[in-house]
Amino acid sequence: MWDLLLTNLNAATMTPGGAPYGAGRDAAIAVHDGRIAWIGPRADLPDAAARETRDLEGRWVTPGLIDCHTHLVFGGNRAPEWERRLNGATYEEIARAGGGIQSTVDATRGASTEQLAEQALPRARALARRGVTTVEIKSGYGLEPGCERRMLEAAGLVGQAADLRVSRTLLAAHTVPKEYRDNRDAYVNLIIDRMIPQAASVADAVDAYCETIGFTPDEVDRIFTAARAHGLQVKLHAEQLSDQGGAALAARHQALSADHLEHLSPEGVAALAGAGTVAVLLPGAYYFLRDEKAPPVAALREAGVPMAVATDCNPGTSPLTDPLLAMNLACTLFRLTPEEALAGFTRNAARALGLHDRIGTLEPGKAADLAVWNIDEPAELAYWLGADLLAARYRDGRQTA
Ligand code: DI6
Ligand code: FE
């Protein structure tokens, strides 16, 4: 006896290789013990009973959306800095003058775990209202062992409060904090000796910002070696503002993903393809920084690199809490197809988190994380700007919205 049977629906399963969107019309989905027990055409439904049956009246069902790159937890906001940028200052100039990430660090250090969770909750709820069921949340605004730990704890609290599956990432290597500006090595050692061992039991992965205003490839190499030794996965902010060879470095460490990639070289594309590393595209940051160099999407596509899309929700470069708007930006600014954009928030986002065995497509055995939409065509998910399309959301087979 199934727990739940959803009928009279169209399923965008997002399984590759078949119909566009893996779509099946007039379908049904059976849920048992939080997982998808059966999915297929309604006409083929086995003769099995369910404790509860719901008629979805022809709505579309997709995998619950997965936002695989966010900095959702932070203190304060940076609207004043944005106003300065609109008056001509650049992101790098502000960062070098002690604003930028460092100003969010100051606000984050002044907040308790509970205050951080409370401030992040509206952002998490906004994602959930747009169909997100899994979110990755990075630390990276504490930059000291205690505050980095509080950020990761707050990420767990936010997930519980907003009913989101959370994947947590240590981003202690986001920027060198001001108290270490003259002694970078000591900060890298602190990450390796204290923060990575401390995070090993809480976090799933370690990330770094490989950039002229962040960390050098050599520093990232040391940090990744330590992370892997502690059993943590790695991922990298690479080639956002300049080509540092970060993607190739990430690939050498079997990274789950390399993210941003505006300045990715052909060698970088080949390295990602060879390692099976996911390219995570972040059009919100590209848009908000008025960047003009788009990531080499055609080359990534040609090389068969899986592409994910994420909000990169953060106070400095992407104050974006709408996955559907991120999908639209990926299509309009980066020329993804709407199907690629949806794969970027489902199947490929799951891969970017190493969770592709459990989530990201609608298949028997996967978690029953589902989004139900008031749309006639799957392309509408990337088409509308700011529409309220979600009809219902299920996590592990439980309806949560
Ligand atoms: N790249 C980004 O776009 C964000 N972090 C990063 O490494 C920006 C973070 C911020 O400005 O607060
Ligand atoms: Fe980021």
Side-chain angles (χ1 to χ4, degrees), residues 162-219:
D163 218 325
L164 291 163
R165 197 186 295 283
V166 173
S167 175
R168 289 184 277 188
T169 301
L170 178 74
L171 178 58
H174 200 184
T175 190
V176 177
K178 58 178 184 286
E179 63 274 19
Y180 283 95
R181 279 281 147 84
D182 299 324
N183 195 359
R184 305 175 58 87
D185 251 11
Y187 184 62
V188 174
N189 291 339
L190 183 69
I191 295 174
I192 291 171
D193 297 337
R194 297 257 324 264
M195 299 204 232
I196 289 176
Q198 165 184 281
S201 57
V202 193
D204 305 287
V206 168
D207 192 352
Y209 189 31
C210 187
E211 194 53 69
T212 52
I213 54 171
F215 291 79
T216 67
D218 282 349
E219 289 166 343

Side-chain angles (χ1 to χ4, degrees), residues 69 71 74 78 81 91 100-102 104 138 140-141 171 173-175 207-211 237 240-241 260 282 285-286 289 312 314-318:
H69 179 141
H71 312 245
F74 55 83
R78 305 240 289 280
E81 167 185 318
Y91 182 69
I101 295 175
Q102 181 65 46
T104 299
K138 302 175 195 298
Y141 293 116
L171 178 58
H174 200 184
T175 190
D207 192 352
Y209 189 31
C210 187
E211 194 53 69
H237 283 70
Q240 180 185 13
L241 307 172
H260 284 290
L282 304 167
Y286 173 92
L289 291 174
D312 194 18
N314 79 72
T317 64
S318 188

